[in-house]
Structures are given as C-alpha cells and as structure tokens.
Amino acid sequence: LSLSPRKEWNTFLTSEKQNLVQPNSLKIKSIKMDVFEEGNIIDEETSKSTSDWFGKSEPVKAKRWLPINDCNSVLEVIKLHRGERHGMSPTELSFCWNRVTKLIVLDKRERHYFTIKHNQDHLQSMLEDTTKAMRKFGPANVAATCHKLAKLVKICKLPINSSVWDAVELEIIKQSSFLSPMEISSTVWALATAKRTSPAVWQKLADVILSKEINEFNSQGISNILWGFAKVRHGASRKLFDYIANAGTPLSTIIENEFSSQEIANTVWAYATINHRSPKLFEEIAKVTVEQLNDGEFYARELANIAWAYAKTGTRSPKLFDTIAEVAMSQDLLDNFNPQNIANTVWAYAKLGHASPELFDEIAEVAIPRINEFWSQGIANTVWAFAKAGHASPDLFDEVGKVCVESSRIKDFKPQELSNTVWAYATLKHKSSPALLNEIASASLPRIHQFKSQGLANMVWAYATLNHHPTPTALLDKI
C-alpha cells in the first residue's frame, strides 16, 4: 500500500499493539475530534466487551480526557499535571504545554509572572516528565511540543535544560519522515527560535524537505524554513535555498497568490543573511511586493528588511525602491520606523546608489529627535549612508555630534564605525562638530592596532579634508 507519512506512522503504532481491535466494534462514549484536539481529558472508564480480529472477547479500557482546556491559569495546569502525572499520557502532556503557552500568550499577567526565575521553576516537573516521555511521543506531539517550548523561550526567556532539547531533537531525527509539511516548518522555526544548532537534526530536516515537492508547503511554511535555516546558518542551507529558489512554476504560484508581507520580508531576509544571491527569485518577489505595497499591507520593519536584503545581495530593483520610498512617505510609515529600520533603510538606498532625496529628508526629520535611541552601528551606518548618497543634512549631523559627545557614546563604537563616521563628516565637509572629531580621536588611539588599513587611510584623509588637528595629537603620529 502507498500510504502518507502520517498513515504509515499510525499503521506502525497499530502493529505494535498486541491485541488488534476492530474500530467499528469498540464501544466508548463518543468524543468529538475538535474536543480531542483541544485537549479536554477526563477520567477513565471501562467500555463494554469488544471482539478483536481473532474472535476473542475481552474488556477494553478506554481513556477519557482530562479537562486541560478548563484550566484558567498556568498554575492550574501545573496543579493538574502534578495530580495526574503518573498516569498522564504523552498526548496529555503535549496538550498541557499547548494550554500553558496559550494562556501565557493571551494574558499579560501570566507572561509577567513566568518571566520571573522563581516562578519558572514551577514548570520543571513538566519539563522533567517531557524529557522522560519524549520517546513515546508521536510525530504530531513531538512537533507541537517543540513549537510550544520554543514559544516559551521567546516570550518568557524560559531556561530549558539542554537535556530536554536533546530528547526532542532525538525524536525529531527518528520521526522526521513521519512529520507533515506544516510540522516540519514549525519545527524548523522552533529550533531556530530556541537557538538549537545541532548539525544532525538540521541535516535530517534538510534531507526531509529536499525529498518533498515545494507545493506541499504553504507560504508560511516556506518562509519559516528559510528563516530558520538562515538563523542557524547550517551548512545545508545553500543547497536547500537553491532547491527552493529553482522550484519554478509551483513556487511562483505560491509567491503570487499566498505570500504575505511578513513572508516576503522573511524570505528575502533569509537569502541576504546567508549572502545567497538568487536574482530570478528576487525579481519575482519584487513584482509581487510592488503590487502589495500599493494596497498598504506592509509594516515599517518589513519595508526596511526588504530594502536591506536587496542591498545586501546587490540586487537592484529601481521600481521596488521607488515604490518603497513613495509608500513610506505617503502613508506616514516613517513615524513607525525604529532606529534599526531607519539605519537599514538609508544604508540600503546608499549601498545600491538609488537616489531618493525626499525620502532622506523625511528620514532625517524622523531621526533627529531619536538619535539618543540609536546604537553605535546605527549611528555610523546612518551618517555613512547620507555621505555615500551625497545628501547633506546639517541638522542631523549636528545632533549626532551633540548626542555622541554628551553621552560618551563614542567609546562604544567599533574601529570601523569610528572610521566610517569621521569619513562621513569629511565627505559632506561638515565642520561644525569639532568636539565629536576629538572624541573619535581619543577613542581610536588606544585601539589603533585594531583598525584595518582602509580604515586608517580614511581617518587620515578625513582629518586632512576637514583641516582638523585631532586631540590627542598623538593619533596621527600613531597611525
């Protein structure tokens, strides 16, 4: 028989049972499938006699479902688990994690409570039982539990012992061929979110994905897979990324009809993160993105990440960049840009040499009152981008100089950030921030051996261009 992976797994489990029972002859209280999936579990009762396939007649114990979904707090779930833990099945334990995660996601008080280390300890008994029972989990429960644990790591910073993840990963490796496409993608997302980098489990997941047709995955599944592999930078990523990019018509159909703004942003971000160019894929995505941009479906972070990804891979798309600029300004999205979004956006336009003076003017207005929120790389990249684009913004550069001097922010700059910053001021011939130039000199002197030759050359050129003799004067002698 040619069976689906899930049917193969169910057949395997059935063959393991010593007494095979005719499903139609099993008489237990009817349980709706949607109730089962939600995890409502009540007490045990004994069903009436059944006839197995060999004609024997014997009583069969049927498990009824415990009220996990009736728990209104995480502590109630924990209490239920502690009371039933010695008789709790792997499926019931998986449902407990589902309920815990749902309550924490939906309730701010629960989230706050379980970000506290002392309170997180209440979950240890469930984690211990999960580790012990993981080998009995079926593929659906393995994938679901992996996903929920990763969510708790992301939301509450829950410290999960490596032994728990080792047990999960071992079962993923064993049962990977039985996972559905949705379960595969959620598992990839989960392991990447939890920062699990075991080569064995990632290679196994890559092999399973490569054995499937791309149209078996939906748009979210594809973007999650790409995002996950890019996040951990596994060696199999390049082969997998080529496989997806070269999927042809099936992929084009999914991109055109299913990709959301977040999935578009995650996909191009993934290719850029591992520095994997795919011009044809990016061209297709650009067309879809331009159409969706006009419908106002993108958030600020998505616009910035898309622009950054195209610049990082050196993929030019003038129409896309014109549309991003137009939409960002016309829909007042720039007010929603955080410092990283601002820095990434101007960096992308400057890197590709795509002129957009009005966008740069508006970004400067948004950035000036928020410069104190920028981190060192964000400041350096922003002033570098304005200089690279040849776009003077005296007010912005004055504010950068003022904030960096008053907050002593310069000491946090890396060598390249120091040289890029002074280069930017010199390129635009901005001479009204002498205190900043001296601060850069002071921060550079004790770390001069860490600079690359290009950085040193840029620094000397910058001080000469600005006709500024840095204090301490020993800097130029040291160079």
Side-chain angles (χ1 to χ4, degrees), residues 412-438:
D412 299 326
F413 279 48
K414 295 177 182 177
Q416 185 174 350
E417 294 163 2
L418 291 169
S419 61
N420 282 356
T421 300
V422 72
W423 175 88
Y425 275 74
T427 298
L428 292 178
K429 295 180 171 56
H430 189 92
K431 299 182 179 182
S432 59
S433 297
L436 173 64
L437 299 178
N438 288 334

Side-chain angles (χ1 to χ4, degrees), residues 121-159:
D121 291 341
H122 295 312
L123 292 167
Q124 288 307 309
S125 61
M126 283 178 58
L127 287 170
E128 291 171 5
D129 286 359
T130 300
T131 305
K132 295 174 183 176
M134 185 54 62
R135 62 188 179 83
K136 299 178 182 178
F137 278 41
N141 289 333
V142 170
T145 302
C146 181
H147 187 261
K148 301 312 175 190
L149 292 178
K151 272 199 168 184
L152 293 176
V153 170
K154 181 180 180 180
I155 298 170
C156 302
K157 309 298 183 206
L158 181 67

Side-chain angles (χ1 to χ4, degrees), residues 119-307:
N119 297 331
Q120 292 174 342
D121 291 341
H122 295 312
L123 292 167
Q124 288 307 309
S125 61
M126 283 178 58
L127 287 170
E128 291 171 5
D129 286 359
T130 300
T131 305
K132 295 174 183 176
M134 185 54 62
R135 62 188 179 83
K136 299 178 182 178
F137 278 41
N141 289 333
V142 170
T145 302
C146 181
H147 187 261
K148 301 312 175 190
L149 292 178
K151 272 199 168 184
L152 293 176
V153 170
K154 181 180 180 180
I155 298 170
C156 302
K157 309 298 183 206
L158 181 67
I160 298 178
N161 193 284
S162 183
S163 62
V164 180
W165 286 115
D166 289 344
V168 171
E169 290 171 1
L170 180 61
E171 290 310 308
I172 290 171
I173 292 171
K174 288 181 180 178
Q175 303 183 34
S176 58
S177 60
F178 298 110
L179 294 173
S180 70
M182 183 178 293
E183 290 162 355
I184 291 170
S185 64
S186 72
T187 299
V188 168
W189 177 89
L191 294 177
T193 299
K195 299 179 180 179
R196 299 294 299 176
T197 58
S198 168
V201 70
W202 283 100
Q203 186 61 57
K204 190 65 176 179
L205 286 168
D207 291 342
V208 172
I209 294 167
L210 291 169
S211 71
K212 295 185 177 296
E213 297 293 334
I214 197 66
N215 56 11
E216 294 183 54
F217 297 92
N218 60 19
S219 56
Q220 184 179 6
I222 293 171
S223 66
N224 279 352
I225 287 169
L226 293 169
W227 179 87
F229 274 85
K231 197 76 174 173
V232 300
R233 291 171 171 80
H234 185 262
S237 297
R238 305 196 76 81
K239 183 177 180 181
L240 180 63
F241 278 45
D242 277 337
Y243 169 73
I244 292 176
N246 297 326
T249 302
L251 178 63
S252 300
T253 302
I254 294 172
I255 292 173
E256 184 176 352
N257 298 325
E258 297 182 30
F259 262 45
S260 67
S261 57
Q262 183 180 358
E263 290 156 5
I264 288 172
N266 284 353
T267 297
V268 294
W269 175 90
Y271 276 85
T273 296
I274 67 168
N275 200 26
H276 189 88
R277 296 193 76 247
S278 183
K280 185 177 180 181
L281 174 63
F282 272 53
E283 183 181 348
E284 290 185 19
I285 289 178
K287 292 178 182 178
V288 173
T289 303
V290 168
E291 293 175 2
Q292 291 191 18
L293 277 169
N294 293 323
D295 295 330
E297 297 181 359
F298 284 75
Y299 291 105
R301 180 182 178 182
E302 294 163 354
L303 290 179
N305 283 353
I306 291 170

Side-chain angles (χ1 to χ4, degrees), residues 299-319:
Y299 291 105
R301 180 182 178 182
E302 294 163 354
L303 290 179
N305 283 353
I306 291 170
W308 175 85
Y310 275 76
K312 184 72 165 59
T313 57
T315 307
R316 298 181 183 278
S317 183
K319 188 173 182 179

